Amino acid sequence: MDSIRARLIYNPTSGREEVRRRLPAILQRLERGGIETSCHATEGEGDAAFAASEAVRRGFDIVISAGGDGTLNEVVSGLSGHERRPSLGILPLGTTNDFARAHGIPKQWADACDLIVRGYTRPVDVGRADDKYFINIAGGGSLTELTYEVPSKLKTMVGQLAYYMKGLEKITRLQAVPMKIIANGQVEIDEELMLFLIANSSSVAGFDKLAPDASTNDGVFDVLALRKCNLAEFIRIATMVMRGEVIKNDPHFIFFQSNNIRVESDDRVQLNLDGEFGGTLPCTFSILPSHLNVIMDEHGESTYRRGAGMGNVRGLLP
């Protein structure tokens, strides 16, 4: 039987630099599981996307993203433009790891390696924002700027706390912006919004209750928008989110589903794609159904928090 070849693309600064420290052990565990693995360390913006695209050209069976959501976004972007796309493995060694959290991919590196060795894949939808790609979340509004405004060095030092520190810094400067959201040609929203989120999965910024019904295999986005509110109302809503409460029925939120969305604004509104800067409005968001085969838990259970081992049995790759 031919050996399985994998290309591991890693961000050496992700997750307090854990991937860099664990790399020899990661490669050894994958090799012992029957996956012949070579690696590429990213050196700057866009490098992971280029490396993933090159891995497709070189005929690798698996491309593994090792890092955070930003690294994953670039790897997805590098794969998604090709007709033949290798399976995608994930070592969630970043700060938030939203996609992994929602899909039963353990944060503990050894268990995540074992999951890749097991090789069970499921097709997932990929989002497209004009000519860019995202796999987990797209959004706009001043609050969504937090994720790419936090310096990588600060994230390396204090992890998730870096986002809360930045949030406290920005909270008094949050303001609503006039936006128009059009779904499948019909205007759904035309008012001042604090933010909008287009969710492809159920984990958004580390929270599971913002879009609890979102799924990466249903062919639609879950869209939520926060209406204009004062500081006291915003703090109340933020407290609900922090507590893990469901906010879907709060009157300040608007929810709907669609597979094609256009968002416009006369103001300058920056876009966030999987935690990275994605340009500015206007933008059209569409979905590519079942576009990538992602290695994940075959039982559909989230092992992210408990880090359960997945064994050392190699499965079949498509």
Side-chain angles (χ1 to χ4, degrees):
M1 181 169 139
D2 294 337
S3 64
I4 294 174
R5 296 171 60 242
R7 185 65 161 169
L8 189 152
I9 299 168
Y10 73 97
N11 180 351
T13 67
S14 283
R16 306 191 189 187
E17 302 185 358
E18 182 179 10
V19 63
R20 181 182 58 80
R21 292 183 285 108
R22 303 287 189 184
L23 187 59
I26 289 169
L27 294 176
Q28 184 180 61
R29 198 171 188 98
L30 293 172
E31 293 279 352
R32 285 179 175 175
I35 300 177
E36 181 184 326
T37 309
S38 62
C39 58
H40 173 89
T42 61
E43 297 179 350
E45 183 179 352
D47 193 30
F50 176 82
S53 183
E54 181 68 9
V56 176
R57 189 188 67 79
R58 293 173 57 183
F60 282 94
D61 303 298
I62 308 172
V63 173
I64 301 170
S65 171
D69 292 321
T71 304
L72 177 60
N73 173 266
E74 285 203 19
V75 170
V76 167
S77 297
L79 298 178
S80 292
H82 292 270
E83 185 174 346
R84 184 199 77 83
R85 297 175 291 277
S87 297
L88 172 62
I90 300 171
L91 296 179
L93 300 175
T95 304
T96 306
N97 308 302
D98 271 320
F99 185 85
R101 184 186 298 273
H103 291 83
I105 300 171
K107 185 174 176 62
Q108 214 288 328
W109 68 269
D111 295 333
C113 285
D114 290 345
L115 201 66
I116 293 171
V117 168
R118 200 175 183 102
Y120 178 81
T121 66
R122 286 184 182 175
V124 303
D125 305 335
V126 171
R128 189 163 187 172
D130 287 341
D131 60 347
K132 299 181 176 69
Y133 298 94
F134 63 98
I135 196 168
N136 197 68
I137 187 78
S142 55
L143 196 62
T144 65
E145 297 168 13
L146 287 178
T147 50
Y148 51 80
E149 285 188 357
V150 177
S152 60
K153 188 170 291 187
L154 183 60
K155 287 190 285 184
T156 299
M157 291 170 59
V158 299
Q160 188 80 21
L161 180 61
Y163 294 114
Y164 302 139
M165 293 166 62
K166 192 68 177 180
L168 289 173
E169 176 188 319
K170 288 179 66 74
I171 194 168
T172 58
R173 293 185 280 120
L174 296 176
Q175 59 181 1
V177 177
M179 297 189 212
K180 181 184 289 186
I181 301 181
I182 304 159
N184 297 319
Q186 179 176 337
V187 176
E188 297 284 344
I189 303 172
D190 188 359
E191 59 181 280
E192 289 186 280
L193 301 176
M194 304 295 286
L195 63 87
F196 73 90
L197 297 173
I198 298 174
N200 191 36
S201 87
S202 59
S203 182
V204 179
F207 301 106
D208 302 324
K209 302 297 185 181
L210 280 173
D213 301 322
S215 169
T216 51
N217 62 5
D218 61 0
V220 293
F221 296 122
D222 280 40
V223 183
L224 58 154
L226 176 60
R227 289 186 163 107
K228 182 179 181 180
C229 57
N230 60 38
L231 182 60
E233 291 168 334
F234 178 79
I235 291 174
R236 177 187 63 80
I237 292 168
T239 302
M240 291 175 62
V241 172
M242 294 288 289
R243 289 175 176 170
E245 298 177 23
V246 176
I247 47 82
K248 191 170 184 178
N249 297 321
D250 189 286
H252 286 91
F253 278 93
I254 305 168
F255 283 82
F256 64 91
Q257 291 183 320
S258 177
N259 61 8
N260 189 278
I261 301 144
R262 181 167 177 82
V263 185
E264 303 173 350
S265 178
D266 291 334
D267 290 26
R268 185 178 187 276
V269 178
Q270 298 183 24
L271 294 175
N272 182 312
L273 303 179
D274 291 337
E276 302 298 315
F277 176 67
T280 58
L281 292 181
C283 185
T284 298
F285 303 88
S286 56
I287 203 158
L288 303 173
S290 301
H291 196 65
L292 287 179
N293 288 311
V294 179
I295 300 172
M296 62 179 74
D297 176 56
E298 61 265 47
H299 303 295
E301 298 175 354
S302 178
T303 59
Y304 186 91
R305 296 185 189 279
R306 65 178 183 270
M310 298 304 297
N312 196 32
V313 181
R314 185 171 67 195
L316 298 177
L317 296 168

